[in-house]
Amino acid sequence: MQKHNFFAGPSILPQSAIDATIEALKDFAGTGISLASVSHRGKEFEAVMAEAVALFKEILNIPEGYSVIFLGGGASLQFAMVPFNLLKTKAVYVNTGTWASKAGKEAKLFGEVVEVKNPDYFSLPKNFEVPQDADYIHVTSNNTIYGTELLTDPDYGIPLVSDMSSDIFSRPVDVSKYALIYGGAQKNLAPSGVTFVIVKDEILGKMDRKIPTMLDYRTHIKENSMFNTPPVIPIFTALETLKWIKANGGTEGMLKRNNAKADLLYAEIDRNPLFKGTVAKEDRSIMSVCFVMNDEFKHLEDDFAALTKSKGMVGLKGHRSVGGFRASLYNALELSSVQALVDAMKELEQKHK
Ligand SMILES: *Cc1c(COP(=O)(O)O)cnc(C)c1O
C-alpha cells in the first residue's frame, strides 16, 4: 500500500534523494566503495561538500559575506552555540513554543535574556518593543509542535537570528535580513545527523570570552566544514534534496507547492464540522498543520486515527504535549497525500453527521 508520510521529523524526503543515497551506499561516485566507507578528504566527497554548499547558496540566493557550514549536534547544539558566539550582554528571545523556549534557556547561561511571549503558543507575539541595545533577537520561524509560522523576514533593528529547522527551503527567504540562520536538517533536507548554519561573517569574532575550537563558527568556516569528520551520509542526501528542489522550481516552486497543500487542508479543517484548527488563522503554518476534533466529536478521535492508518497515512498524531492531530506538509510531500487526508476527513463526516 502507498504510504502517506506526515511525520514531523525525521520526515519525508524526495524519493530521488533516498534512491541516490542507497546507490551511493553501495558504490559511491564510481569508487567501488560505499559512501559509508570512503575518506571524507577524498576528492569525491570534497566535491559533494563543495556542490552542497554552492547549491545551498544558489537556491536560497545567499548574498556575499555569508558562510554556509554543516555541523553535527543538531539544532539543539545551536541553542548554546549561538549565544556562545554572539551574546555579550543581552539578547531578545521570542518564545513561540517548546523549541524557542529551549533556545532561550541556553542563552540565559551567557547573559541577560529579554523574553517576548504570548500567554499561550496558539498565536505569535506582535508589535512588541525590541530593546535596541541587545546583541541580537532570536526567533523560531516555524513552531513545529504548535503549528504557527512566521512567514515574513522581519526587521527589528538589531541582528536577527532564526531557527529554521522545520521550514528551511519551504519558501524564499531574504537572507540579507538575518545575521544567522540554523536548523537540524531532518525536517526538510536530509536524514538526521547534520545541522546547517548560515552566518554573516562580520558578526563573528567580537566576543571577549574564550570559545572552544569546535564551538567557534570560525573554525568550521575556515575548514569548509571539514575541521573534523563531517556527517557524510546526510550531507550527501542534502545535496540530492537540493538538486530536487532546484529541479522543482527552487524556493518559489516549493512555496507554491506548500501553499497548495496547506490551503487544501485548512479549507477542509474549517469546513468540516468534525474538526477545528488550533492556532490563530493569521499565524497558521504551511508546514505543520495542527488540528483537533470539535468537542462534540472528541469521541471519534480513535476512529479517525484508525481510518487514516487503514489508508496508509502515518505520523498524524499531534505532539505529545498538545494532543489532537498534526500533518507535517514538508516540501517532498505530494498534494495527493493531502487529498487522501482530506478525503478521510470527509468520509468520517459522512458516517457521523
Ligand atoms: C526539531 C526541531 C529542533 C530540534 O532539532 P534537533 O536537531 O533534534 O536538535 C529545534 N528547533 C525546531 C524548530 C525543530 O523543529
Side-chain angles (χ1 to χ4, degrees), residues 63-289:
E64 285 293 308
Y66 285 79
S67 298
V68 170
I69 47 179
F70 293 119
L71 308 174
S76 299
L77 181 59
Q78 294 309 307
F79 295 165
M81 210 162 146
V82 164
F84 214 140
N85 283 264
L86 302 182
L87 206 174
K88 278 181 242 157
T89 53
K90 178 158 87 179
V92 183
Y93 274 71
V94 186
N95 184 342
T96 50
T98 313
W99 296 117
S101 126
K102 286 186 176 173
K105 177 168 175 258
E106 296 303 305
K108 284 178 196 145
L109 299 171
F110 301 94
E112 184 193 340
V113 169
V114 178
E115 189 181 65
V116 176
K117 189 177 179 292
N118 279 355
D120 62 45
Y121 290 140
F122 298 116
S123 67
L124 294 174
K126 295 174 191 84
N127 305 321
F128 47 85
E129 289 283 323
V130 176
Q132 294 296 302
D133 60 341
D135 297 315
Y136 64 86
I137 178 167
H138 180 284
V139 297
T140 307
S141 53
N142 186 55
N143 182 348
T144 325
I145 293 176
Y146 285 80
T148 58
E149 187 175 12
L150 187 61
L151 281 159
T152 56
D153 305 308
D155 192 342
Y156 299 114
I158 57 174
L160 174 60
V161 174
S162 184
D163 172 358
M164 292 198 184
S165 292
S166 56
D167 62 352
I168 190 73
F169 291 110
S170 66
R171 65 170 178 93
V173 168
D174 181 355
V175 175
S176 72
K177 293 256 178 76
Y178 296 82
L180 192 148
I181 297 170
Y182 67 87
Q186 69 273 19
K187 311 283 164 61
N188 224 355
L189 191 62
S192 64
V194 67
T195 314
F196 63 86
V197 178
I198 307 164
V199 56
K200 192 174 193 174
D201 300 321
E202 67 176 37
I203 64 161
L204 301 174
K206 296 182 178 166
M207 206 52 66
D208 291 331
R209 74 171 63 93
K210 291 195 168 63
I211 306 175
T213 312
M214 269 298 281
L215 299 184
D216 190 331
Y217 291 118
R218 291 170 301 175
T219 303
H220 303 285
I221 293 171
K222 188 161 158 273
E223 301 294 335
N224 297 317
S225 305
M226 296 267 207
F227 171 73
N228 68 325
T229 319
V232 293
I233 298 169
I235 289 171
F236 178 90
T237 313
L239 170 58
E240 292 300 321
T241 302
L242 290 168
K243 288 180 188 167
W244 176 87
I245 293 172
K246 186 175 172 178
N248 285 279
T251 51
E252 293 284 355
M254 292 301 114
L255 181 61
K256 248 171 111 177
R257 247 178 105 82
N258 294 327
N259 274 336
K261 290 180 283 180
D263 288 349
L264 178 62
L265 183 51
Y266 282 121
E268 180 60 16
I269 290 169
D270 292 340
R271 185 208 63 79
N272 192 317
L274 272 56
F275 297 92
K276 68 173 180 202
T278 46
V279 303
K281 281 192 180 170
E282 73 273 16
D283 296 329
R284 281 175 164 178
S285 170
I286 61 169
M287 289 279 98
S288 314
V289 178

